[in-house]
Amino acid sequence: MHRGRKWWTVVLGTSAGVVAAGAGTVWLSSGDGAEKRVVDTSASVRISAADSNEAARYWTAKRMAAAKPVGRAEAPGGAARTQAAAQAVPRSTAFHGIPTLGALFFNNGSGDHYCTASVVHSYSKKLLITAAHCIHGGRGAGYVSKVAFVPKYEKGKRPYGTWTAKMLLVDQRWASKSDPDLDFGFIGLNPLKGKTIEAAVGYNMLGVNQGVGKYVNVTGYPRIAYDKRDQPIYCRAKTARQSKYQVRMDCSGFYGGTSGSPWLLKYNGKTHTGYINGVIGGYQGGGNTHWRSFSPYFDNDVNVLRSAADKRA
């Protein structure tokens, strides 16, 4: 559990545009069938049907193509030392994407932007996971607006349609302090044509307390603004400990826009699914070079937050 705490303070979401504190708990499954009630730390915001409909209309193909990436090194280049380091690590590969992965579009008050998000399994069957900094600005800031998710986005194509958000949720310690160890968040999606996102594209399981030194497939969207191929990338790399609550992996090509990219443990090449064991974010906002990426370590805090998101989705 994060920082060794056994229980948590409570912040619960309320109506659209408002985040308020209040008492509440969520049930947390241990994985062996047992459950316990824990106090959650979530801060959430609900999005009205009118705002969701406006987001669906807002995101035209032209606006998606013009959206700017969030975080990371936003363009190739840099010092010779950085280039030498990039050449010494594995290189990412462009591919056609997978249904459970998509581009996440939003407006953060300074313009239209995008990150990466993926479908994570939940009882509600409606949840995405991404970096907290993609959906909430952290200390002194608030939530983004006009949120839309496009699974398997490639070259402007939307094979599974455009999905709008009903709820955004981060940990209150991210919202109030920009704690990099809690730079992960969840999005509850509205149904589309009568289906949940899981029914439409499938899902990945959540991996918690899996340690480090393991191979993960990391996939994300750095290519919308900078590369005419306009495709996602993937890389298979080994994780390593950066600090007590931060993990890293080395692979080149993860420029801006890859914030929120899932780290898929035990990836199955036939089903194109795995266990989400991290997301690009955390230390240095996920990394200040394209060849080294970071993620908060996924311990029980992420499980508690997913349970709180499921409750509100």
Side-chain angles (χ1 to χ4, degrees), residues 92-146:
S92 59
T93 302
F95 76 130
H96 296 296
I98 55 178
T100 59
L101 175 82
L104 183 71
F105 296 95
F106 52 90
N107 187 289
N108 65 3
S110 64
D112 295 337
H113 295 270
Y114 70 90
C115 280
T116 301
S118 56
V119 184
V120 61
H121 184 48
S122 63
Y123 290 113
S124 68
K125 306 184 188 304
K126 300 177 182 178
L127 295 185
L128 304 177
I129 188 170
T130 188
H133 72 256
C134 291
I135 58 175
H136 190 289
R139 181 173 55 195
Y143 286 97
V144 300
S145 63
K146 296 182 175 63

Side-chain angles (χ1 to χ4, degrees), residues 221-257:
Y221 279 88
R223 299 186 181 277
I224 293 174
Y226 293 114
D227 194 315
K228 292 181 180 179
R229 284 179 291 180
D230 198 7
Q231 290 178 285
I233 60 171
Y234 78 92
C235 188
R236 182 169 172 80
K238 194 173 186 179
T239 63
R241 180 77 66 181
Q242 173 67 18
S243 60
K244 187 173 183 180
Y245 297 112
Q246 295 286 323
V247 185
R248 70 174 185 268
M249 73 90 186
D250 289 351
C251 184
S252 66
F254 285 85
Y255 296 103

